[in-house]
C-alpha cells in the first residue's frame, strides 16, 4: 500500500515539466562546450566533431524504444528515476573524459542519450496519465516550452562558464548537466506512480489512492473504469496487430503521414543551428567560436517565445496552415542567403545568421510543437503504440544524421550551400503536408481514422 501523503497536482505537473527542462538542457549543453573542447583537444576532424555532438541522439533512438517496454514492466516513476541516475552518471563521466578521449566521450554520450530518449518518451506519457482530460491538449505545447527552456538554460550556463580556462570550461559545462538531473530525481521520489500503470497491474487500491490526490472524489470510479476499458482495448490491439499492420492498406496512409512529419521535422536542419551556431558564426565572421556564445542564448530566447506563441494560437489555426506557413518561411530563410551570396558576393557575412534567426522563429511555433501534436492525433488506437514509436525513432534518426553530417558537409562546401539543401528539404516538407497529411484539428480520433480508410483529401484542405 502506498504511504505518500497527499501530493498536490501543482507539484506533480512541476516535476513532470522539469523532466522536459532536463531533456532540453542535455540536448543544448554541447553547443557551448564544443568550441572549448575543439580548442583543448585540437579537434579538426569534421567526422569526430559530428560523432561527439550526435552520439547523444544515437543513444536516444534506443532509449526511446526501450523505455516504453520497460516502463510497462517497472512503472513510469521508476523508469524516470533510472533515467535521472543515468543522466547524473553520464554527465559526470563526460566531464572527466581523459585528454583526447574521443572514443570515451562518444561512448559515454551514447549511454547518456539512452536517458535522453527515455525522458523524451516517459515524461509526456506520465504527465498525460496524471492530468485530467481537459488539460491533456495543452501538455504538448507546455512540454515543448519546457524543453526549449531547458535548452536556453544550458546556453546561459555555458555562457556564464565560458570565462574558465579552456579545459575547465567544457568539463564544467558537461558536468553541470548533473544538477537538474539530481533535482528531478529528488522531486520524482515524492511523486506517486501513474494510476494507469497501477490499474494495468491490478493494483486497484493504490490507483484509487493516487487518483484521490488529483481528482474530485465523485470522478474517481468513472475514471478507473475508463482506464480499464482503454487498457483492454490496447491489449486486444496488440494481439491483433503487428509491425506489418502499419503498412497495410487500412493504416498505410496515416502511418506515412505521421512518420513523415516526424522525419521531416529533423531533416529540415533545425538541429544544425542549435548544435553548431557558435561554429556557424565563427565560419561567417572569422572570430573564435568560443566568443560567440551569446548567439545560442538569442536562439534559445526565440525558441521559448515561439513555444509560448504556439500555446496561444494552437487551436485557432489549422495544423496544415501553420505547417505550410512555417515550412515555406523556413525554406526561404535557408535558400535566400545562398542566392544573395551569388548576387552580392561582398554582403555582410552575418546575413546568414539573421536568416537563421528568422528560421528559428517560424520553426518554434510551427514544426517544433505541431509535429508531436499530429503524432498524438493521427494514429488509430489499434496501431498507436507501434506507430508512435516508429515516428519517434525516425525523428531521433533524423536528429542524429543532421548532427553527424553537418560539420562534414560544411567542411566540403560553403555553409550557404549546405543550408540551401536543408531549405529544399523544408519546401519538400510543405509539399508532403499538402499532399499526404490530413487536417486533424477539430476532428475526433474516429473521424481521422476514417480519413485513412477513405483518403478523402477533399476534407483536408487548409
Amino acid at each position: 500500500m502506498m504511504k505518500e501523503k497527499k501530493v498536490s497536482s501543482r507539484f506533480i505537473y512541476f516535476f513532470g515539466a522539469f523532466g522536459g527542462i532536463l531533456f532540453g538542457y542535455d540536448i543544448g549543453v554541447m553547443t557551448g562546450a564544443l568550441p572549448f573542447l575543439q580548442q583543448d583537444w585540437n579537434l579538426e576532424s569534421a567526422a569526430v566533431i559530428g560523432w561527439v555532438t550526435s552520439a547523444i541522439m544515437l543513444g536516444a533512438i534506443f532509449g526511446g524504444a526501450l523505455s516504453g517496454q520497460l516502463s510497462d514492466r517497472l512503472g513510469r516513476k521508476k523508469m524516470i528515476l533510472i533515467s535521472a541516475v543515468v543522466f547524473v552518471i553520464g554527465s559526470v563521466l563526460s566531464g572527466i573524459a581523459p585528454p583526447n578521449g574521443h572514443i570515451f566521450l562518444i561512448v559515454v554520450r551514447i549511454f547518456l542519450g539512452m536517458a535522453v530518449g527515455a525522458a523524451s518518451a516517459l515524461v509526456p506519457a506520465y504527465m498525460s496519465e496524471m492530468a485530467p482530460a481537459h488539460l491533456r491538449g495543452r501538455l504538448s505545447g507546455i512540454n515543448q516550452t519546457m524543453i526549449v527552456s531547458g535548452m536556453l538554460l544550458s546556453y546561459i550556463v555555458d555562457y556564464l562558464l565560458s570565462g574558465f580556462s579552456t579545459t575547465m570550461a567544457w568539463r564544467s559545462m558537461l558536468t553541470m548537466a548533473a544538477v537538474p538531473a539530481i533535482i528531478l530525481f529528488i522531486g520524482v521520489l515524492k511523486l506517486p506512480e501513474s494510476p494507469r500503470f497501477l490499474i494495468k497491474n491490478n493494483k486497484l487500491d493504490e490507483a484509487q489512492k493516487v487518483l484521490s490526490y488529483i481528482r474530485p472524489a465523485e470522478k474517481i470510479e468513472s475514471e478507473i473504469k475508463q482506464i480499464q476499458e482503454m487498457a483492454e482495448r490496447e491489449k486486444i490491439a496488440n494481439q491483433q496487430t503487428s509491425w506489418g499492420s502499419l503498412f497495410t492498406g487500412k493504416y498505410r496512409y496515416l502511418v506515412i503521414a505521421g512518420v513523415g512529419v516526424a522525419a521531416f521535422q529533423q531533416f529540415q536542419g533545425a538541429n544544425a543551428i542549435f548544435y553548431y551556431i557558435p561554429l556557424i558564426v565563427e565560419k561567417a565572421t572569422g572570430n573564435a567560436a568560443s566568443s560567440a556564445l551569446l548567439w545560442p542564448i538569442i536562439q534559445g530566447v526565440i525558441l521559448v517565445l515561439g513555444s509560448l506563441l504556439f500555446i496561444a494560437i494552437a487551436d485557432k489555426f489549422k495544423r496544415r496552415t501553420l505547417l505550410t506557413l512555417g515550412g515555406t518561411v523556413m525554406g526561404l530563410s535557408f535558400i535566400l542567403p545562398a542566392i544573395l551570396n551569388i548576387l552580392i558576393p561582398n554582403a555582410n557575412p552575418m546575413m546568414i545568421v539573421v536568416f537563421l534567426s528568422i528560421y528559428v522563429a517560424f520553426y518554434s511555433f510551427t514544426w517544433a510543437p505541431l509535429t508531436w501534436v499530429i503524432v498524438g492525433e493521427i494514429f488509430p488506437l489499434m496501431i498507436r503504440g507501434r506507430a508512435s514509436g516508429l515516428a519517434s525513432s525516425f525523428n531521433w534518426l533524423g536528429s542524429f544524421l543532421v548532427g553527424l553530417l553537418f560539420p562534414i558537409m560544411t567542411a566540403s562546401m560553403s555553409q550557404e550551400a549546405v543550408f540551401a539543401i536543408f531549405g529544399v528539404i523544408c519546401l519538400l516538407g510543405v509539399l508532403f503536408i499538402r499532399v499526404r497529411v490530413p487536417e486533424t484539428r477539430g476532428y475526433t480520433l474516429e473521424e481521422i481514422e476514417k480519413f485513412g480508410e477513405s483518403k478523402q483529401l477533399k476534407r483536408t484542405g487548409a
Side-chain angles (χ1 to χ4, degrees), residues 356-435:
L356 295 187
S357 298
I358 295 171
Y359 172 100
V360 171
F362 278 80
Y363 174 79
S364 67
F365 72 91
T366 59
W367 280 84
L370 271 172
T371 293
W372 301 112
V373 173
I374 287 178
V375 166
E377 293 174 337
I378 204 167
F379 298 129
L381 176 66
M382 292 292 282
I383 59 162
R384 187 167 300 149
R386 285 188 173 92
S388 297
L390 187 65
S392 178
S393 294
F394 267 84
N395 189 265
W396 280 116
L397 179 62
S399 180
F400 165 67
L401 289 174
V402 167
L404 175 65
L405 296 176
F406 180 76
I408 297 172
M409 292 167 71
T410 53
S412 57
M413 63 180 91
S414 71
Q415 284 190 152
E416 288 83 3
V418 174
F419 283 120
I421 293 170
F422 286 134
V424 171
I425 295 173
C426 289
L427 297 181
L428 290 174
V430 171
L431 182 64
F432 180 80
I433 294 298
R434 305 310 303 177
V435 174

Side-chain angles (χ1 to χ4, degrees), residues 100-165:
N100 297 310
H102 316 141
I103 304 299
F104 177 91
L105 189 56
I106 289 167
V107 171
V108 166
R109 281 178 60 76
I110 291 173
F111 171 71
L112 187 55
M114 294 184 74
V116 170
S120 72
L122 290 168
V123 171
Y126 179 83
M127 289 271 283
S128 67
E129 291 174 7
M130 297 298 285
H134 70 277
L135 288 180
R136 284 179 196 147
R138 297 184 198 172
L139 287 178
S140 179
I142 292 171
N143 191 49
Q144 177 67 20
T145 300
M146 293 306 159
I147 291 170
V148 295
S149 296
M151 291 172 69
L152 174 59
L153 180 64
S154 74
Y155 299 152
I156 293 171
V157 170
D158 285 352
Y159 181 76
L160 294 175
L161 296 176
S162 63
F164 288 174
S165 67

Side-chain angles (χ1 to χ4, degrees), residues 64-277:
L66 289 172
S67 65
Q69 297 172 21
L70 289 174
S71 69
D72 283 342
R73 291 183 189 175
L74 303 176
R76 318 295 190 240
K77 174 181 174 177
K78 191 173 287 185
M79 278 305 298
I80 294 173
L81 289 172
I82 291 170
S83 296
V85 171
V86 174
F87 264 113
V88 174
I89 295 170
S91 300
V92 172
L93 288 176
S94 297
I96 61 171
N100 297 310
H102 316 141
I103 304 299
F104 177 91
L105 189 56
I106 289 167
V107 171
V108 166
R109 281 178 60 76
I110 291 173
F111 171 71
L112 187 55
M114 294 184 74
V116 170
S120 72
L122 290 168
V123 171
Y126 179 83
M127 289 271 283
S128 67
E129 291 174 7
M130 297 298 285
H134 70 277
L135 288 180
R136 284 179 196 147
R138 297 184 198 172
L139 287 178
S140 179
I142 292 171
N143 191 49
Q144 177 67 20
T145 300
M146 293 306 159
I147 291 170
V148 295
S149 296
M151 291 172 69
L152 174 59
L153 180 64
S154 74
Y155 299 152
I156 293 171
V157 170
D158 285 352
Y159 181 76
L160 294 175
L161 296 176
S162 63
F164 288 174
S165 67
T166 302
T167 303
M168 275 300 296
W170 72 263
R171 290 186 183 278
S172 58
M173 289 172 188
L174 297 185
T175 305
M176 280 291 288
V179 175
I182 292 169
I183 295 171
L184 178 68
F185 183 89
I186 294 169
V188 172
L189 273 178
K190 298 183 179 181
L191 294 186
E193 182 51 88
S194 151
R196 180 181 170 85
F197 170 79
L198 294 171
I199 289 170
K200 286 177 76 171
N201 286 272
N202 300 314
K203 297 180 179 179
L204 208 59
D205 291 344
E206 291 184 31
Q208 286 179 317
K209 193 163 189 175
V210 173
L211 284 170
S212 73
Y213 301 161
I214 53 178
R215 301 285 190 274
E218 66 274 9
K219 292 188 176 182
I220 292 175
E221 287 305 320
S222 63
E223 181 155 347
I224 286 176
K225 188 176 179 183
Q226 188 179 23
I227 293 171
Q228 287 174 321
E229 289 173 356
M230 184 62 74
E232 188 60 33
R233 288 174 67 189
E234 286 184 356
K235 185 177 178 182
I236 293 169
N238 286 331
Q239 290 171 348
Q240 293 182 356
T241 61
S242 64
W243 284 104
S245 305
L246 301 185
F247 300 100
T248 60
K250 185 177 180 182
Y251 299 123
R252 186 190 303 125
Y253 174 65
L254 293 177
V255 169
I256 290 173
V259 173
V261 170
F264 266 112
Q265 186 210 40
Q266 289 299 337
F267 283 108
Q268 288 168 335
N271 281 343
I273 303 172
F274 304 143
Y275 301 144
Y276 296 113
I277 187 67

Side-chain angles (χ1 to χ4, degrees), residues 255-337:
V255 169
I256 290 173
V259 173
V261 170
F264 266 112
Q265 186 210 40
Q266 289 299 337
F267 283 108
Q268 288 168 335
N271 281 343
I273 303 172
F274 304 143
Y275 301 144
Y276 296 113
I277 187 67
L279 303 185
I280 293 167
V281 174
E282 176 185 46
K283 198 158 186 178
T285 63
N287 298 323
S290 54
S291 66
L293 295 194
L294 263 178
W295 277 102
I297 295 176
I298 293 169
Q299 306 297 325
V301 169
I302 294 171
L303 277 172
V304 171
L305 292 176
S307 70
L308 295 174
L309 174 62
F310 172 75
I311 292 173
I313 68 171
D315 293 318
K316 295 177 181 170
F317 295 92
K318 291 183 176 180
R319 314 283 191 239
R320 282 163 38 103
T321 303
L322 286 175
L323 290 172
T324 300
L325 170 67
T328 302
V329 176
M330 287 154 54
L332 292 175
S333 298
F334 275 163
I335 292 169
L336 284 174

